[in-house]
Amino acid sequence: VESSESVVRYDSLCFSLNNPMNQPPNGTNRPQYPSDAEQLRQLQEAQEIRRLKQEAQQLQTANRDRALGWMRNSIILLVGALEILLAIRFLLRISLANLDNTFASFIMNLSAPFVTPFSTLFISPTNADATRIFDLNILVAMAIYGLLGGLAIALVHYFQGPDATRR
């Protein structure tokens, strides 16, 4: 004798097996749509792939920024050193330094190639006995080299991209 509960279970099982909506297509045992676990796994894989791509892009951007930052710092260092060298030359010229001194001759010889393009630009004014020379050409050279250094730094910022200042 069957209980009414087991009959209901048997009937519902037969209904679910005979219902065409519950049957897989083409008689296979796989469901038509992926299971929730499969969908979750696919979603996690897609998120992981997206995260890895973002990390790779961030790494590439960081490497580029590091290289451009190194270039910017190198330009600042070199132009700053040149400006200091030319400022020392200017001070030696205006203060009646003995050019036979080792330090003074070293500074004059080291800075000569950087002042040569501007050496005949202006006639340098002197005092009454022509001992102190106010070398305006050195000041022009300092201004030009400073502007060129600023232009080089602006180009590095341009190559770094528009959001480089936000980092």
Side-chain angles (χ1 to χ4, degrees):
V1 175
E2 293 182 353
S3 69
S4 62
E5 184 177 306
S6 55
V7 171
V8 170
R9 271 191 273 143
Y10 176 75
D11 288 344
S12 65
L13 180 61
C14 288
F15 175 75
S16 67
L17 291 176
N18 292 328
N19 187 352
M21 296 298 285
N22 290 336
Q23 295 298 316
N26 302 328
T28 61
N29 291 335
R30 285 181 279 130
Q32 183 177 2
Y33 298 106
S35 67
D36 288 342
E38 180 68 19
Q39 286 178 346
L40 180 62
R41 187 186 63 75
Q42 289 175 353
L43 181 62
Q44 287 173 342
E45 284 179 5
Q47 288 174 342
E48 183 69 15
I49 289 170
R50 188 177 329 116
R51 186 185 63 79
L52 289 174
K53 285 181 181 178
Q54 287 174 346
E55 285 181 5
Q57 186 178 16
Q58 288 172 349
L59 182 63
Q60 183 182 13
T61 302
N63 286 337
R64 186 191 70 208
D65 288 347
R66 183 178 45 119
L68 291 174
W70 183 86
M71 286 176 59
R72 182 181 56 246
N73 292 341
S74 298
I75 291 168
I76 291 170
L77 177 70
L78 292 175
V79 171
L82 179 60
E83 294 286 330
I84 290 171
L85 180 68
L86 293 178
I88 293 171
R89 180 185 176 105
F90 179 77
L91 290 175
L92 291 174
R93 293 283 302 242
I94 202 166
S95 65
L96 297 172
N98 179 9
L99 297 181
D100 293 331
N101 179 289
T102 306
F103 175 73
S105 64
F106 172 73
I107 295 295
M108 293 302 219
N109 291 334
L110 187 61
S111 62
F114 301 106
V115 177
T116 302
F118 307 98
S119 63
T120 58
L121 191 60
F122 297 107
I123 297 174
S124 298
T126 61
N127 63 354
D129 58 351
T131 54
R132 290 192 178 152
I133 301 171
F134 185 82
D135 200 350
L136 191 59
N137 298 323
I138 295 174
L139 297 178
V140 171
M142 289 174 68
I144 296 297
Y145 288 128
L147 288 172
L148 289 174
L151 178 64
I153 290 172
L155 283 173
V156 169
H157 280 293
Y158 175 76
F159 289 125
Q160 202 162 8
D163 60 350
T165 57
R166 286 186 241 146
R167 290 185 198 139

